[in-house]
Amino acid sequence: MATAPRRFFRCACFCSENLYVARYGLHVRFRGEQQLRRDYGAVLRSRGCVSPKDFEQLLEELEQEVERRQRMGPESAARKALIANSYHPARLEIYNPLQDVALAPEFLAAAEYSTLPGADLEGLLQRLETVSEEQRIYRLPVFTPPFCQALLEELEHFEKSDMPKGRPNTMNNYGVLLHELGLDEPLVTPLRECFLQPLMALLYPDCGGGRLDSHRAFVVKYAPGQDRELGCHYDNAELTINVALGKTFTGGALYFGGLFQAPSALTKPLEVEHVVGQGILHRGGQLHGAQPLGTGERWNLVVWLRASAVRNHLCPMCGCKPDLVDDEGFGDGFTREEPPTVDVCVLT
């Protein structure tokens, strides 16, 4: 008898917590006008929200964002179905199951080492670049140049099509949700299960690195006249990998601060330049952002890696026991069943 597929959920806080107001560079909790004035009035005024008209415009934007988030699940499922039925890909090979030929030799070697019985952190660190030992940020090549080029060609083909497109996340406006394009099953799921999980189990055992069971994957695009930078934030994930796909660009470096659980002023953020084909690994709770793009276009694949064994205990976005709500696909990575638990990512 076949077992039913696992069901994943989101936390109800998704529609009220961490709403991003780009104009004021601020994430807010929003449960109504009075609460917004009480909790954020002073900081909003300090950032330019001064007149009654400014505040009315902000209220309207927040109410629209709440409504958008409430519709996201069904609308995403509808887009995915339409794309599956009507879209004609340019690079069909991208939709084939992930093959080793798409992956950089260094990535394959690091993943293979991580599966060996005697593998340990010290040995793995010899096979990748440590960007920051203190902040536990690492980098290594992930995809080959031909695969990056083929994936980019497919993404640009989709971008130019008349297919409906969803925002990649709540901060970026330009990009692609890979599950809507049909790339979760052939590309992202095997990347997580076969390659990233062994690596993350050694690098981040305290953050659920060995128990990753879902993800959210999207491509973000930075270009003149579109998104050019990204404000400081943390990810709705236990762990994140960010891979530069191309094209040719200047600027747009990632910058990192401390953990959101232990915030500190970003007086001297760590800047990390993107290298095409290479992936930057970090904890989801690490505060980070993107410096303004200089020239060209930058496309990045971002995978939020989630472990229900961690997040079922504490939602990273509201800091409470998650209030589960039905959602599509992997949702936000929460489950009702209780897998063996691990400690919430510790502050190290």
Side-chain angles (χ1 to χ4, degrees):
M1 181 176 178
T3 58
R6 281 185 88 188
R7 291 188 62 196
F8 290 87
F9 302 83
R10 63 174 170 86
C11 180
C13 77
F14 179 68
C15 292
S16 61
E17 302 284 332
N18 291 282
L19 277 66
Y20 185 58
V21 185
R23 185 166 64 258
Y24 302 121
L26 191 66
H27 286 84
V28 301
R29 175 188 300 109
F30 180 61
R31 297 181 181 175
E33 179 179 350
Q34 290 185 344
Q35 170 267 325
L36 186 69
R37 289 185 183 276
R38 182 182 65 248
D39 293 349
Y40 300 100
V43 67
L44 283 168
R45 285 190 295 273
S46 73
R47 299 191 183 196
C49 184
V50 178
S51 69
K53 184 178 179 180
D54 291 337
F55 197 84
E56 288 172 9
Q57 184 179 3
L58 174 60
L59 275 177
E60 183 178 352
E61 290 176 3
L62 291 173
E63 289 165 355
Q64 290 175 352
E65 174 63 9
V66 169
E67 292 174 0
R68 187 190 73 85
R69 292 187 181 202
Q70 291 170 338
R71 300 191 307 266
M72 267 182 57
E75 289 184 353
S76 179
R79 286 192 300 267
K80 181 179 180 181
L82 179 59
I83 291 166
N85 289 329
S86 304
Y87 175 61
H88 300 288
R91 300 295 299 260
L92 284 169
E93 71 273 21
I94 293 295
Y95 297 84
N96 293 331
L98 181 65
Q99 301 294 317
D100 287 1
V101 69
L103 300 172
E106 299 92 334
F107 185 68
L108 289 170
E112 181 180 4
Y113 170 80
S114 300
T115 64
L116 297 176
D120 59 18
L121 177 60
E122 182 179 356
L124 177 58
L125 292 181
Q126 296 174 11
R127 293 164 170 82
L128 47 76
E129 176 189 352
T130 298
V131 176
S132 170
E133 181 178 1
E134 177 185 1
Q135 298 187 24
R136 300 170 70 189
I137 300 170
Y138 308 98
R139 176 162 57 188
L140 78 168
V142 176
F143 296 124
T144 62
F147 182 81
C148 288
Q149 182 63 34
L151 181 55
L152 266 179
E153 289 178 9
E154 178 58 28
L155 293 169
E156 290 188 298
H157 177 71
F158 176 72
E159 182 187 44
K160 294 173 183 175
S161 75
D162 60 359
M163 291 291 101
K165 301 165 184 72
R167 285 175 59 185
N169 56 57
T170 59
M171 294 181 70
N172 290 90
N173 296 294
Y174 299 91
V176 180
L177 290 160
L178 292 195
H179 77 277
E180 292 186 3
L181 194 53
L183 287 172
D184 249 5
E185 292 80 5
L187 173 59
V188 187
T189 295
L191 185 69
R192 166 173 58 85
E193 293 181 342
C194 302
F195 301 98
L196 290 173
Q197 178 147 309
L199 282 169
M200 298 302 200
L202 289 179
L203 291 173
Y204 307 103
D206 51 328
C207 300
R211 298 188 180 277
L212 304 173
D213 54 5
S214 72
H215 61 262
R216 180 177 176 85
F218 49 89
V219 171
V220 293
K221 177 189 177 186
Y222 297 87
Q226 300 182 6
D227 292 334
R228 295 185 66 97
E229 60 188 302
L230 191 64
C232 186
H233 65 284
Y234 63 92
D235 297 336
N236 187 358
E238 277 63 67
L239 301 164
T240 295
I241 182 168
N242 184 330
V243 185
L245 300 175
K247 299 179 169 179
T248 302
F249 56 88
T250 62
L254 275 180
Y255 63 86
F256 290 93
L259 288 177
F260 83 91
Q261 301 102 322
S264 58
L266 293 176
T267 52
K268 292 184 179 180
L270 170 69
E271 290 200 7
V272 184
E273 297 289 342
H274 289 286
V275 179
V276 173
Q278 295 196 10
I280 298 168
L281 313 175
H282 63 87
R283 292 171 289 182
Q286 201 84 43
L287 292 168
H288 61 284
Q291 299 285 16
L293 184 74
T295 61
E297 291 184 10
R298 177 166 70 81
W299 296 67
N300 284 61
L301 168 63
V302 179
V303 186
W304 289 351
L305 300 161
R306 292 161 167 171
S308 61
V310 173
R311 61 183 36 231
N312 284 354
H313 174 68
L314 191 73
C315 171
M317 306 312 284
C318 65
C320 300
K321 178 77 175 177
D323 178 10
L324 300 184
V325 177
D326 287 338
D327 205 354
E328 304 288 336
F330 284 132
D332 271 342
F334 301 99
T335 60
R336 290 198 187 278
E337 67 267 27
E338 291 294 334
T341 57
V342 297
D343 291 338
V344 174
C345 188
V346 297
L347 306 183
T348 58

